[in-house]
Structure formats: C-alpha cells, structure tokens
Amino acid sequence: PFSCSPLFLCALAQQCRLCYSRLLDEDASPAPVSRELDRSRNITGLYGNMLAALDEQYGGSHELGYQNLVQYSLTYLWASRKGLMEFELYEALKHVCNVSFERLQQLLAELKQRVIHTQGHLRLFHQEFNYAVERRYMGKYYDTDTTDLMIDGHKLLADFFETRPHAAIRKVEEYPYQLCYCVA
C-alpha cells in the first residue's frame, strides 16, 4: 500500500509537522497522523494538501505583502532549467511580492525535502512534487499539454533574467531556455 512508500512516509511526517506541530507537541496521540492519512490517500493528495497548508501559512490574502509567496517561489523553481541560486530566487521574488530574505528562508526550511540544493542551485525534488506544483499553480493535469499559466511561469523567469548583466553565465544558461518555452 501507499503508506509503505518511503517517499509517502517522509512527506506524511513533513505534512503532520506543518499542520499539527502544536497539537503533536501537546499530546503524543496518533490522531493527527490518522487524520492526515484519511485526508491524503496517496502521494498526489498529500502533496496537494501540503501546498494548500503552505499557501495558508505563507501568503494567504490575510498576510499583506507575502501574497502568493509559495506559488511564485515554486513556479520560479519549476520553470528554471537547472534550478535557481538562493539569491536569484530572492531577487526574482522581490519583483512580484514584498518578501524578506528571512521569510524566504523559513519557507525553504519547510520545503527542505521537496526543494533540494544541487550544485549550488535550488530545484524541485521528485516528479510527484513537480506534478503537484503543476496541478495547483498551473492548471495542468497528467493528460493536458502546456497551459497558459505554465507559459506565464517561463515568461516571469525570462523577464527576470532579461534584466541580468549581459555577460552573466546564468543569463546565458537560463534566458534562451525561458524564451523557448514562452511560446505556446
């Protein structure tokens, strides 16, 4: 069953910590874990619930200035060719939402097993998490082609790299790639 998968168990633990940490600190009851298992019958549902919880915690409409922080952060990482350096993600986010570096670090800590560091770049880890990001923020499902929101994600990143210095190696790596995906 799905609950035997190490990926699922790891994500379940992260989700329980995200949604029920205060309750788990007060009481060692397995009820929150059971509740999450009932809500998240598979890895797809679990990641969807995780993204919803993160949206609520890091940028619901009640939190002026950080609106859509999770959406923009994950869209930028999803759209990138090789991932983004932390300072690139921060600089790109400053153009679309009022975020402090500390707030971004808090979000990345929550995502530490879904967003990984490889060769100095942050990138999304695991195809199932990629699908969850596509589904939640870009309106894509397994059988659909590229959506307008996916193209918009590449446009956002292209706009960011267009402003970088012309000789910057990262601009050479990312900008042409983003332009290729900006067309339908």
Side-chain angles (χ1 to χ4, degrees):
F2 64 89
S3 60
C4 293
S5 160
L7 173 66
F8 182 84
L9 292 173
C10 184
L12 178 65
Q14 186 178 12
Q15 175 67 356
C16 287
R17 187 176 61 248
L18 179 65
C19 293
Y20 307 108
S21 63
R22 185 174 300 127
L23 187 59
L24 290 169
D25 287 343
E26 295 169 2
D27 182 12
S29 165
V33 177
S34 296
R35 192 174 317 136
E36 194 57 44
L37 276 170
D38 287 342
R39 248 174 34 116
S40 306
R41 301 304 301 167
N42 56 36
I43 194 72
T44 303
L46 184 59
Y47 283 150
N49 292 337
M50 183 182 293
L51 292 174
L54 287 167
D55 281 336
E56 180 66 27
Q57 185 174 342
Y58 287 92
S61 57
H62 64 279
E63 192 173 347
L64 186 62
Y66 294 123
Q67 194 166 6
N68 301 321
L69 174 61
V70 178
Q71 177 181 354
Y72 281 118
S73 297
L74 295 177
T75 297
Y76 280 131
L77 293 174
W78 171 86
S80 66
R81 179 177 180 213
K82 295 173 58 176
L84 296 174
M85 295 178 199
E86 279 186 38
F87 82 88
E88 290 172 334
L89 179 58
Y90 174 64
E91 290 293 321
L93 287 169
K94 285 193 330 188
H95 291 284
V96 294
C97 58
N98 180 25
V99 63
S100 67
F101 190 72
E102 292 78 19
R103 187 69 167 164
L104 175 59
Q105 290 300 307
Q106 290 171 347
L107 174 61
L108 292 175
E110 293 283 1
L111 289 166
K112 72 178 174 182
Q113 295 170 344
R114 306 298 142 235
V115 173
I116 60 168
H117 289 264
T118 56
Q119 299 177 349
H121 297 87
L122 296 169
R123 67 178 186 83
L124 301 182
F125 179 69
H126 203 276
Q127 193 60 42
E128 288 295 331
F129 190 66
N130 254 344
Y131 291 146
V133 169
E134 289 174 351
R135 234 180 339 274
R136 181 159 182 91
Y137 302 120
M138 295 165 221
K140 179 171 172 49
Y141 291 90
Y142 290 104
D143 57 347
T144 59
D145 289 330
T146 302
T147 67
D148 289 342
L149 292 171
M150 293 169 90
I151 293 169
D152 290 346
H154 288 290
K155 285 179 182 175
L156 276 172
L157 207 48
D159 290 346
F160 170 72
F161 277 105
E162 183 178 31
T163 65
R164 308 316 289 169
H166 291 294
I169 188 73
R170 290 291 294 141
K171 181 174 185 172
V172 173
E173 290 174 338
E174 286 284 347
Y175 187 59
Y177 176 84
Q178 299 307 324
L179 291 178
C180 288
Y181 285 93
C182 283
V183 294

